[in-house]
């Protein structure tokens, strides 16, 4: 498959490219130069909100993995709008016009983070994917926007869209605050590979590793994508320092 990966120089992009480069033809793009995986990928540097660049990037690819964005939940609209909303609309428009078949979009568990406090209380059930989006912050709201925009294009064009509500992705959880939403690299790779192939027109799925005390229900990802995480965050728990949750606490709405 010929795949465009946006945000390839970022933290998630650097982890994902090695997961895909063996079996796919990759076109990597970012505003800053991504690492070159040994001459095995085409690299294009530029601003994804540039329509002409987006058209060029989408030309001839079968699928897109859209990672370009601002991943910081504490940021305000001025820092979020361009990376998380303008890149999405520019890319969707270009992908639709170019006849790209599939976009896999990096959403976030913050798109459903408003459910988190209830779900993480004593005896609470995991947050179900079937619940409506409930962002906990401006960042989460930009991800809900991205999901909604992708759905519009999945209806209007022969472009199917799979939104992955990614948990915190690192090779290992850096502290205990990451344990309940951590996403390991092998599971990230599996989720994206399955999303690229799934026979689904549109969907949005929580994606974390195999947490023994899940906060986000992975049932929809299992059923629709065949996602079956293999990495257990508890394998890293011994000796990990304490740290704050990766989720917003309190939710913005609690600050009134
Ligand atoms: N890091 C995580 O654990 C995590 C968790 C959930 C969701 N996500 C989402 O995954 C995606 C990647 O996250 P990350 O941690 O790799 O972020 P990152 O900041 O490390 O990388 C994002 C990349 O996007 C690029 N970018 C931003 N705006 C651009 C533009 N207009 N044109 C071209 N390139 C642009 C940046 O240069 C950067 O290299 C983001 O959409 C983020 O919201 C990340």
């Amino acid at each position: 498959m010929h795949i465009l990966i946006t945000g390839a120089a970022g933290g998630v992009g650097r982890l994902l490219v090695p997961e895909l480069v063996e079996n796919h033809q990759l076109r990597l793009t970012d505003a800053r130069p991504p690492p070159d995986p040994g001459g095995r990928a085409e690299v294009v540097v530029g601003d994804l909100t540039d329509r002409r660049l987006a058209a060029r990037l989408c030309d001839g690819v079968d699928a897109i993995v859209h990672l370009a964005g601002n991943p910081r939940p504490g940021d305000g609209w001025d820092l979020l709008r361009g990376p998380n909303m303008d890149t999405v609309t520019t890319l969707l428009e270009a992908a639709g016009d170019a006849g790209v078949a599939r976009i896999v979009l990096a959403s976030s568990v913050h798109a459903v983070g408003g459910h988190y406090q209830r779900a993480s209380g004593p005896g609470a059930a995991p947050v179900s994917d079937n619940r409506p989006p409930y962002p906990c912050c401006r960042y989460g709201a930009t991800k809900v926007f991205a999901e909604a925009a992708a759905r519009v294009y999945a209806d209007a064009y022969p472009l199917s869209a799979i939104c992955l509500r990614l948990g915190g992705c690192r090779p290992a959880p850096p502290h205990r605050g990451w344990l309940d939403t951590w996403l390991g690299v092998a599971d990230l790779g599996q989720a994206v590979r399955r999303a690229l192939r799934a026979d689904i027109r549109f969907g949005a799925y929580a994606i974390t590793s195999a947490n023994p005390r899940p906060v986000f229900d992975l049932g929809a990802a299992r059923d629709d994508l065949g996602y079956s995480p293999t990495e257990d965050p508890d394998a890293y728990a011994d000796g990990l320092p304490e740290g704050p949750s990766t989720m917003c606490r309190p939710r913005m709405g609690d600050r009134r």
Side-chain angles (χ1 to χ4, degrees), residues 39 84-85 159 189:
N84 290 6
M85 296 164 81
L159 171 73

Side-chain angles (χ1 to χ4, degrees), residues 10-12 30-32 46-48 67-69 71 87 107 139 143 166-169:
V12 176
D30 200 295
R32 51 191 174 138
D47 186 339
L48 201 50
L67 302 175
T87 65
S107 182
Y139 167 73
K143 293 301 182 184
L166 303 177
C169 188

Side-chain angles (χ1 to χ4, degrees), residues 21-34:
V21 74
E22 297 296 337
N23 296 311
H24 299 284
Q25 183 185 350
L26 301 185
R27 179 178 292 163
L28 308 181
T29 191
D30 200 295
R32 51 191 174 138

